[in-house]
Amino acid sequence: DYSRTPQTKDRGKGTKPVLWLSDDGSIIQEFYSVHSAAKALGISAQEVSRICSHKAKTIKFNLVYKSEYIEEQRLSVRESYVEAA
């Protein structure tokens, strides 16, 4: 059997992990991609992209790209370190 099954660990070009956040900023769920978030939440992939890009007019879910969330966390830790010094 030479059938090839795609590996889920190898992300394709343009795949961005998405985080679903609660109102206080804690992570509710992490999604592998925009498409998997859309499928799980029952909204379109375009709507997920608009929410993550801060271009959506109405926001049903608090979604951000994982890279953006990590950057925000890194900056907030740095600011608290500077304030403590």
Coordinates of all heavy atoms in Angstrom, one line a residue:
D1 N 0.8 -1.2 0.0 CA 0.0 0.0 0.0 C 0.9 1.2 0.0 O 1.6 1.5 0.9 CB -0.9 0.0 1.2 CG -1.9 1.1 1.2 OD1 -2.3 1.6 0.2 OD2 -2.2 1.6 2.4
Y2 N 0.8 2.0 -1.1 CA 1.6 3.2 -1.2 C 0.9 4.5 -1.0 O 1.3 5.6 -1.4 CB 2.3 3.2 -2.6 CG 3.3 2.1 -2.7 CD1 3.0 1.0 -3.5 CD2 4.5 2.1 -2.1 CE1 3.9 0.0 -3.6 CE2 5.4 1.1 -2.2 CZ 5.1 0.0 -3.0 OH 6.0 -1.0 -3.2
S3 N -0.3 4.4 -0.4 CA -1.1 5.6 -0.2 C -0.4 6.5 0.8 O 0.2 6.0 1.8 CB -2.5 5.3 0.2 OG -2.5 4.7 1.5
R4 N -0.4 7.8 0.5 CA 0.2 8.7 1.4 C -0.8 9.5 2.2 O -1.8 10.0 1.7 CB 1.0 9.7 0.6 CG 1.7 10.8 1.4 CD 2.6 11.6 0.5 NE 2.9 12.9 1.1 CZ 3.8 13.1 2.1 NH1 4.5 12.1 2.5 NH2 4.0 14.3 2.5
T5 N -0.6 9.4 3.5 CA -1.5 10.2 4.4 C -0.8 11.4 4.9 O 0.4 11.3 5.3 CB -2.0 9.4 5.6 OG1 -0.8 8.9 6.3 CG2 -2.8 8.2 5.2
P6 N -1.4 12.6 4.8 CA -0.6 13.8 5.3 C -0.3 13.8 6.8 O -1.1 13.3 7.6 CB -1.6 14.9 4.9 CG -2.9 14.3 4.8 CD -2.7 12.9 4.4
Q7 N 0.8 14.3 7.1 CA 1.2 14.3 8.5 C 0.6 15.6 9.1 O 0.7 16.7 8.5 CB 2.7 14.4 8.6 CG 3.4 13.1 8.2 CD 4.9 13.2 8.3 OE1 5.4 14.3 8.6 NE2 5.6 12.1 8.2
T8 N 0.0 15.5 10.3 CA -0.6 16.7 10.9 C 0.4 17.6 11.5 O 0.2 18.7 11.8 CB -1.6 16.2 11.9 OG1 -1.0 15.4 12.9 CG2 -2.8 15.5 11.3
K9 N 1.6 17.1 11.8 CA 2.6 17.9 12.4 C 3.3 18.9 11.5 O 3.8 19.9 11.8 CB 3.7 17.1 13.1 CG 3.1 16.3 14.3 CD 4.2 15.6 15.1 CE 3.6 14.9 16.3 NZ 4.6 14.2 17.1
D10 N 3.3 18.5 10.2 CA 3.9 19.4 9.2 C 2.9 20.4 8.7 O 1.9 20.1 8.1 CB 4.4 18.6 8.0 CG 5.6 17.7 8.3 OD1 6.3 18.0 9.3 OD2 5.9 16.7 7.6
R11 N 3.1 21.6 9.1 CA 2.1 22.7 8.7 C 2.4 23.1 7.3 O 3.6 23.3 6.9 CB 2.2 23.9 9.7 CG 1.4 23.6 10.9 CD 1.2 24.8 11.7 NE 2.1 24.8 12.8 CZ 2.9 25.7 13.2 NH1 3.0 26.8 12.6 NH2 3.7 25.6 14.3
G12 N 1.4 23.3 6.5 CA 1.6 23.8 5.2 C 1.9 25.3 5.1 O 1.8 26.0 6.1
K13 N 2.2 25.7 4.0 CA 2.5 27.1 3.8 C 1.3 27.9 4.0 O 0.2 27.6 3.6 CB 3.0 27.4 2.3 CG 3.3 28.8 2.0 CD 3.8 28.9 0.6 CE 4.1 30.3 0.3 NZ 4.4 30.5 -1.1
G14 N 1.4 29.0 4.8 CA 0.3 29.8 5.1 C -0.6 29.4 6.3 O -1.6 30.0 6.6
T15 N -0.3 28.3 6.9 CA -1.1 27.8 8.1 C -0.7 28.5 9.3 O 0.5 28.6 9.7 CB -0.9 26.3 8.3 OG1 -1.2 25.6 7.1 CG2 -1.8 25.8 9.4
K16 N -1.6 29.2 10.0 CA -1.3 29.9 11.2 C -2.2 29.3 12.4 O -3.4 29.2 12.3 CB -1.7 31.4 11.1 CG -0.8 32.2 10.2 CD -1.2 33.6 10.2 CE -0.2 34.5 9.7 NZ -0.6 35.9 9.8
P17 N -1.5 28.9 13.5 CA -2.3 28.5 14.6 C -3.1 29.6 15.2 O -2.7 30.8 15.2 CB -1.2 28.1 15.6 CG 0.0 27.8 14.8 CD -0.1 28.8 13.6
V18 N -4.3 29.3 15.7 CA -5.2 30.3 16.2 C -5.6 29.9 17.7 O -5.7 28.8 18.0 CB -6.5 30.3 15.4 CG1 -7.6 31.3 16.0 CG2 -6.2 30.7 14.0
L19 N -5.7 31.0 18.5 CA -6.1 30.8 19.9 C -7.4 31.4 20.2 O -7.7 32.5 19.7 CB -5.0 31.4 20.9 CG -3.6 30.9 20.8 CD1 -2.7 31.7 21.7 CD2 -3.6 29.4 21.2
W20 N -8.3 30.7 20.9 CA -9.5 31.2 21.4 C -9.3 31.6 22.8 O -9.0 30.8 23.7 CB -10.6 30.1 21.2 CG -12.0 30.5 21.7 CD1 -12.5 31.7 21.9 CD2 -13.1 29.6 21.8 NE1 -13.8 31.6 22.3 CE2 -14.2 30.3 22.2 CE3 -13.2 28.2 21.7 CZ2 -15.4 29.8 22.5 CZ3 -14.4 27.6 22.0 CH2 -15.5 28.4 22.4
L21 N -9.5 32.9 23.1 CA -9.3 33.4 24.4 C -10.6 33.8 25.2 O -11.6 34.1 24.5 CB -8.4 34.7 24.3 CG -7.1 34.6 23.6 CD1 -6.4 36.0 23.5 CD2 -6.2 33.6 24.3
S22 N -10.5 33.7 26.5 CA -11.6 34.1 27.3 C -11.6 35.6 27.5 O -10.6 36.3 27.0 CB -11.6 33.4 28.7 OG -10.4 33.8 29.4
D23 N -12.6 36.2 28.2 CA -12.6 37.6 28.4 C -11.4 38.1 29.2 O -11.0 39.3 29.0 CB -13.9 38.0 29.1 CG -15.1 37.8 28.2 OD1 -14.9 37.8 26.9 OD2 -16.2 37.7 28.7
D24 N -10.9 37.3 30.1 CA -9.7 37.7 30.9 C -8.4 37.4 30.2 O -7.3 37.7 30.8 CB -9.8 37.1 32.3 CG -9.6 35.6 32.2 OD1 -9.6 35.0 31.1 OD2 -9.5 35.0 33.3
G25 N -8.4 36.9 29.0 CA -7.2 36.7 28.2 C -6.6 35.3 28.4 O -5.5 35.0 27.8
S26 N -7.2 34.4 29.1 CA -6.6 33.1 29.2 C -7.1 32.2 28.0 O -8.1 32.5 27.4 CB -7.1 32.4 30.5 OG -8.5 32.3 30.6
I27 N -6.3 31.2 27.7 CA -6.5 30.4 26.5 C -7.6 29.4 26.8 O -7.5 28.6 27.8 CB -5.3 29.7 26.1 CG1 -4.2 30.7 25.7 CG2 -5.5 28.8 24.9 CD1 -2.8 30.1 25.4
I28 N -8.7 29.4 26.0 CA -9.7 28.4 26.1 C -9.4 27.2 25.2 O -9.4 26.1 25.7 CB -11.1 29.0 25.6 CG1 -11.5 30.1 26.5 CG2 -12.1 27.9 25.5 CD1 -12.7 30.8 26.1
Q29 N -9.0 27.4 24.0 CA -8.6 26.4 23.1 C -7.6 26.8 22.0 O -7.7 28.0 21.6 CB -9.9 25.8 22.4 CG -9.6 24.5 21.6 CD -11.0 23.9 21.2 OE1 -12.0 24.4 21.5 NE2 -10.8 22.9 20.4
E30 N -6.7 25.9 21.6 CA -5.8 26.2 20.5 C -6.2 25.4 19.3 O -6.5 24.2 19.4 CB -4.4 25.9 21.0 CG -3.3 26.2 19.9 CD -1.9 25.9 20.3 OE1 -1.7 25.6 21.5 OE2 -1.0 26.0 19.5
F31 N -6.2 26.1 18.2 CA -6.5 25.4 16.9 C -5.3 25.4 16.0 O -4.5 26.3 16.0 CB -7.6 26.2 16.2 CG -8.9 26.3 17.0 CD1 -9.3 27.4 17.6 CD2 -9.8 25.2 17.1 CE1 -10.4 27.5 18.4 CE2 -10.9 25.2 17.8 CZ -11.3 26.4 18.5
Y32 N -5.2 24.3 15.3 CA -4.1 24.1 14.4 C -4.0 25.1 13.2 O -2.9 25.5 12.8 CB -4.2 22.6 13.8 CG -3.3 22.3 12.7 CD1 -2.0 22.0 13.0 CD2 -3.7 22.2 11.4 CE1 -1.1 21.6 12.0 CE2 -2.9 21.9 10.4 CZ -1.5 21.6 10.7 OH -0.7 21.2 9.7
S33 N -5.1 25.5 12.8 CA -5.2 26.5 11.6 C -6.5 27.3 11.6 O -7.4 27.0 12.4 CB -5.1 25.7 10.3 OG -6.3 24.9 10.1
V34 N -6.5 28.2 10.8 CA -7.7 29.0 10.6 C -8.9 28.1 10.2 O -10.0 28.3 10.7 CB -7.5 30.1 9.5 CG1 -8.8 30.8 9.2 CG2 -6.5 31.2 10.0
H35 N -8.7 27.2 9.3 CA -9.7 26.3 8.8 C -10.2 25.4 10.0 O -11.4 25.1 10.1 CB -9.3 25.5 7.6 CG -9.1 26.3 6.4 ND1 -10.2 26.8 5.7 CD2 -8.0 26.8 5.8 CE1 -9.7 27.5 4.7 NE2 -8.4 27.5 4.7
S36 N -9.3 24.9 10.8 CA -9.8 24.0 11.9 C -10.6 24.8 12.9 O -11.5 24.3 13.5 CB -8.6 23.3 12.5 OG -7.7 24.1 13.1
A37 N -10.2 26.0 13.1 CA -10.9 26.9 14.1 C -12.3 27.2 13.5 O -13.3 27.1 14.2 CB -10.2 28.2 14.3
A38 N -12.4 27.5 12.2 CA -13.7 27.7 11.6 C -14.6 26.5 11.7 O -15.8 26.7 12.0 CB -13.5 28.1 10.1
K39 N -14.1 25.4 11.4 CA -14.9 24.2 11.4 C -15.4 23.9 12.9 O -16.6 23.5 13.1 CB -14.0 23.0 10.9 CG -14.8 21.7 10.8 CD -13.9 20.7 10.1 CE -14.7 19.4 9.9 NZ -13.9 18.3 9.3
A40 N -14.5 24.0 13.9 CA -14.9 23.7 15.2 C -15.9 24.8 15.8 O -16.8 24.4 16.6 CB -13.7 23.7 16.1
L41 N -15.8 26.0 15.4 CA -16.6 27.1 15.9 C -17.9 27.3 15.1 O -18.8 28.1 15.5 CB -15.9 28.4 16.0 CG -14.7 28.3 17.0 CD1 -13.8 29.6 16.9 CD2 -15.1 28.1 18.4
G42 N -18.0 26.7 13.9 CA -19.1 26.9 13.1 C -19.2 28.2 12.3 O -20.3 28.7 12.1
I43 N -18.1 28.8 12.1 CA -18.1 30.1 11.3 C -17.2 29.9 10.1 O -16.4 28.9 10.0 CB -17.7 31.3 12.2 CG1 -16.3 31.1 12.8 CG2 -18.7 31.5 13.3 CD1 -15.8 32.3 13.6
S44 N -17.2 30.8 9.2 CA -16.3 30.7 8.0 C -14.9 31.0 8.3 O -14.5 31.7 9.3 CB -16.8 31.6 6.9 OG -16.5 33.0 7.2
A45 N -14.0 30.4 7.5 CA -12.6 30.7 7.6 C -12.3 32.2 7.4 O -11.4 32.7 8.1 CB -11.8 29.8 6.7
Q46 N -13.0 32.8 6.5 CA -12.8 34.3 6.3 C -13.1 35.1 7.5 O -12.4 36.0 7.9 CB -13.7 34.7 5.1 CG -13.2 34.2 3.8 CD -13.7 32.8 3.5 OE1 -14.6 32.3 4.2 NE2 -13.2 32.2 2.4
E47 N -14.2 34.6 8.2 CA -14.6 35.3 9.5 C -13.5 35.2 10.6 O -13.2 36.1 11.3 CB -15.9 34.8 10.0 CG -16.5 35.6 11.2 CD -16.8 37.1 10.9 OE1 -16.9 37.4 9.7 OE2 -16.9 37.8 11.8
V48 N -12.9 34.0 10.7 CA -11.8 33.7 11.6 C -10.7 34.6 11.3 O -10.1 35.3 12.2 CB -11.4 32.2 11.6 CG1 -10.2 32.0 12.5 CG2 -12.5 31.4 12.1
S49 N -10.3 34.7 10.0 CA -9.2 35.6 9.6 C -9.5 37.0 9.9 O -8.6 37.8 10.4 CB -8.9 35.4 8.1 OG -8.5 34.1 7.8
R50 N -10.7 37.5 9.6 CA -11.0 38.9 9.9 C -11.0 39.2 11.4 O -10.5 40.2 11.8 CB -12.5 39.2 9.4 CG -12.5 39.5 8.0 CD -13.9 40.1 7.6 NE -14.3 39.4 6.4 CZ -15.3 38.5 6.2 NH1 -16.0 38.2 7.3 NH2 -15.5 38.0 5.1
I51 N -11.4 38.3 12.3 CA -11.4 38.5 13.7 C -9.9 38.5 14.2 O -9.5 39.4 15.0 CB -12.1 37.3 14.5 CG1 -13.6 37.5 14.2 CG2 -11.9 37.4 16.0 CD1 -14.4 36.3 14.7
C52 N -9.1 37.6 13.7 CA -7.7 37.6 14.1 C -6.9 38.8 13.6 O -5.9 39.2 14.2 CB -7.0 36.3 13.6 SG -7.6 34.8 14.4
S53 N -7.3 39.3 12.5 CA -6.7 40.5 11.9 C -7.3 41.8 12.4 O -6.9 42.9 12.0 CB -6.8 40.5 10.4 OG -6.2 39.3 9.9
H54 N -8.2 41.7 13.3 CA -8.9 42.9 14.0 C -9.6 43.7 12.9 O -9.7 44.9 13.0 CB -7.9 43.8 14.7 CG -7.0 43.0 15.6 ND1 -7.5 42.5 16.8 CD2 -5.7 42.7 15.6 CE1 -6.5 41.9 17.4 NE2 -5.4 42.0 16.7
K55 N -10.2 43.1 11.9 CA -11.0 43.7 10.9 C -12.4 43.4 10.9 O -13.2 43.9 10.1 CB -10.4 43.4 9.5 CG -9.0 43.9 9.3 CD -8.4 43.5 8.0 CE -7.0 44.0 7.8 NZ -6.4 43.6 6.6
A56 N -12.9 42.5 11.8 CA -14.3 42.1 11.9 C -15.1 43.2 12.5 O -14.7 43.9 13.5 CB -14.4 40.8 12.7
K57 N -16.3 43.4 12.0 CA -17.2 44.4 12.6 C -17.9 43.9 13.8 O -18.1 44.6 14.8 CB -18.2 44.9 11.5 CG -17.5 45.7 10.4 CD -18.5 46.2 9.4 CE -17.7 46.9 8.3 NZ -18.6 47.4 7.2
T58 N -18.3 42.6 13.7 CA -19.0 42.0 14.9 C -18.1 40.8 15.3 O -17.7 40.0 14.4 CB -20.4 41.5 14.6 OG1 -20.3 40.6 13.5 CG2 -21.3 42.7 14.3
I59 N -17.8 40.7 16.5 CA -16.9 39.6 17.0 C -17.7 38.6 17.8 O -18.2 39.0 18.9 CB -15.7 40.2 17.8 CG1 -14.9 41.1 16.9 CG2 -14.9 39.1 18.3 CD1 -13.8 41.9 17.6
K60 N -17.8 37.4 17.3 CA -18.5 36.4 18.1 C -17.6 35.6 19.0 O -18.1 35.2 20.1 CB -19.1 35.4 17.1 CG -20.1 36.0 16.1 CD -20.5 34.9 15.1 CE -21.4 35.6 14.0 NZ -21.7 34.7 12.9
F61 N -16.4 35.5 18.7 CA -15.4 34.8 19.5 C -14.1 35.7 19.6 O -13.8 36.4 18.7 CB -15.0 33.5 18.8 CG -16.2 32.6 18.6 CD1 -16.8 32.5 17.4 CD2 -16.6 31.8 19.7 CE1 -17.9 31.6 17.2 CE2 -17.7 30.9 19.5 CZ -18.3 30.8 18.2
N62 N -13.4 35.6 20.7 CA -12.2 36.3 20.9 C -11.0 35.4 20.4 O -10.5 34.6 21.1 CB -12.0 36.6 22.4 CG -10.8 37.5 22.7 OD1 -10.2 38.0 21.8 ND2 -10.5 37.7 24.0
L63 N -10.7 35.6 19.1 CA -9.7 34.8 18.5 C -8.5 35.7 18.1 O -8.6 36.8 17.7 CB -10.2 34.2 17.2 CG -11.5 33.3 17.3 CD1 -12.0 33.0 15.9 CD2 -11.2 32.1 18.1
V64 N -7.3 35.1 18.3 CA -6.0 35.8 17.9 C -5.1 34.7 17.3 O -5.2 33.5 17.6 CB -5.3 36.5 19.1 CG1 -6.1 37.6 19.6 CG2 -5.0 35.5 20.2
Y65 N -4.2 35.2 16.4 CA -3.2 34.3 16.0 C -2.2 34.0 17.1 O -1.9 34.9 17.9 CB -2.4 35.0 14.8 CG -3.2 35.1 13.5 CD1 -3.4 36.3 12.9 CD2 -3.7 34.0 12.9 CE1 -4.1 36.4 11.8 CE2 -4.4 34.1 11.7 CZ -4.6 35.3 11.2 OH -5.3 35.4 10.0
K66 N -1.7 32.8 17.2 CA -0.9 32.4 18.3 C 0.4 33.3 18.3 O 0.9 33.6 19.4 CB -0.5 30.9 18.1 CG 0.3 30.4 19.3 CD 0.5 28.9 19.2 CE 1.3 28.3 20.3 NZ 1.5 26.9 20.2
S67 N 1.0 33.6 17.2 CA 2.2 34.4 17.1 C 2.0 35.8 17.7 O 2.8 36.3 18.5 CB 2.7 34.5 15.7 OG 1.7 35.1 14.9
E68 N 0.8 36.3 17.5 CA 0.5 37.6 18.1 C 0.3 37.6 19.6 O 0.8 38.4 20.3 CB -0.8 38.2 17.4 CG -1.2 39.5 17.9 CD -2.6 39.9 17.3 OE1 -2.8 39.6 16.1 OE2 -3.4 40.5 18.0
Y69 N -0.3 36.5 20.1 CA -0.5 36.3 21.5 C 0.8 36.1 22.2 O 1.1 36.7 23.3 CB -1.4 35.1 21.7 CG -1.7 34.8 23.2 CD1 -2.6 35.5 23.9 CD2 -0.9 33.8 23.8 CE1 -2.9 35.2 25.2 CE2 -1.2 33.5 25.2 CZ -2.1 34.2 25.9 OH -2.4 33.9 27.2
I70 N 1.7 35.4 21.6 CA 3.0 35.1 22.2 C 3.8 36.4 22.3 O 4.5 36.7 23.3 CB 3.8 34.0 21.5 CG1 3.1 32.7 21.7 CG2 5.3 34.0 21.9 CD1 3.7 31.6 20.8
E71 N 3.7 37.2 21.2 CA 4.4 38.5 21.2 C 3.9 39.5 22.3 O 4.7 40.1 23.0 CB 4.3 39.2 19.8 CG 5.0 40.5 19.7 CD 6.6 40.3 19.7 OE1 7.1 39.2 19.5 OE2 7.2 41.3 20.0
E72 N 2.6 39.5 22.5 CA 2.0 40.3 23.5 C 2.4 39.9 24.9 O 2.7 40.7 25.8 CB 0.4 40.3 23.4 CG -0.1 41.0 22.3 CD -1.6 40.8 22.1 OE1 -2.2 40.2 23.0 OE2 -2.2 41.3 21.2
Q73 N 2.5 38.6 25.1 CA 2.9 38.1 26.4 C 4.4 38.4 26.7 O 4.7 38.8 27.8 CB 2.7 36.5 26.5 CG 1.3 36.1 26.4 CD 0.4 36.7 27.5 OE1 0.8 36.6 28.7 NE2 -0.7 37.2 27.1
R74 N 5.2 38.3 25.6 CA 6.6 38.6 25.8 C 6.8 40.1 26.1 O 7.6 40.5 27.0 CB 7.3 38.3 24.5 CG 8.9 38.4 24.6 CD 9.5 38.0 23.3 NE 9.2 38.9 22.2 CZ 9.8 40.1 22.0 NH1 10.7 40.5 22.9 NH2 9.4 40.9 21.0
L75 N 6.0 41.0 25.5 CA 6.1 42.4 25.7 C 5.6 42.8 27.1 O 6.2 43.6 27.8 CB 5.4 43.2 24.7 CG 6.0 43.2 23.3 CD1 5.1 43.9 22.3 CD2 7.4 43.8 23.3
S76 N 4.6 42.1 27.6 CA 4.0 42.4 28.9 C 5.0 42.0 30.0 O 5.1 42.7 31.0 CB 2.7 41.8 29.1 OG 2.7 40.4 29.1
V77 N 5.7 40.9 29.8 CA 6.7 40.4 30.7 C 7.9 41.4 30.8 O 8.4 41.8 31.8 CB 7.2 39.0 30.4 CG1 8.4 38.6 31.2 CG2 6.1 38.0 30.6
R78 N 8.3 41.9 29.6 CA 9.4 42.8 29.5 C 9.0 44.1 30.2 O 9.8 44.7 31.0 CB 9.7 43.1 28.1 CG 10.9 44.1 28.0 CD 11.2 44.5 26.6 NE 11.8 43.4 25.8 CZ 11.9 43.3 24.5 NH1 11.6 44.4 23.8 NH2 12.4 42.3 23.9
E79 N 7.8 44.6 30.0 CA 7.3 45.9 30.7 C 7.3 45.7 32.2 O 7.7 46.6 32.9 CB 6.0 46.3 30.1 CG 6.0 46.8 28.7 CD 4.6 47.0 28.1 OE1 3.6 46.9 28.9 OE2 4.6 47.4 27.0
S80 N 6.8 44.6 32.7 CA 6.7 44.4 34.1 C 8.2 44.3 34.7 O 8.4 44.7 35.8 CB 5.9 43.2 34.5 OG 6.5 42.0 34.0
Y81 N 9.1 43.8 33.9 CA 10.5 43.7 34.4 C 11.1 45.0 34.5 O 11.8 45.4 35.5 CB 11.3 42.8 33.4 CG 12.7 42.7 33.8 CD1 13.2 41.9 34.9 CD2 13.7 43.3 33.1 CE1 14.5 41.8 35.2 CE2 15.1 43.3 33.4 CZ 15.4 42.5 34.5 OH 16.8 42.4 34.8
V82 N 10.8 45.9 33.5 CA 11.4 47.3 33.5 C 10.8 48.1 34.7 O 11.5 48.8 35.3 CB 11.1 48.0 32.2 CG1 11.4 49.4 32.2 CG2 11.9 47.3 31.1
E83 N 9.5 47.9 34.9 CA 8.9 48.6 36.0 C 9.4 48.2 37.4 O 9.5 49.0 38.3 CB 7.4 48.4 36.0 CG 6.7 49.1 34.9 CD 5.2 48.7 34.8 OE1 4.7 48.0 35.7 OE2 4.5 49.2 33.8
A84 N 9.8 46.9 37.5 CA 10.3 46.4 38.8 C 11.7 46.9 39.1 O 12.2 47.0 40.2 CB 10.3 44.9 38.8
A85 N 12.5 47.2 38.0 CA 13.9 47.6 38.2 C 14.0 49.0 38.7 O 13.2 49.8 38.9 CB 14.6 47.5 36.8

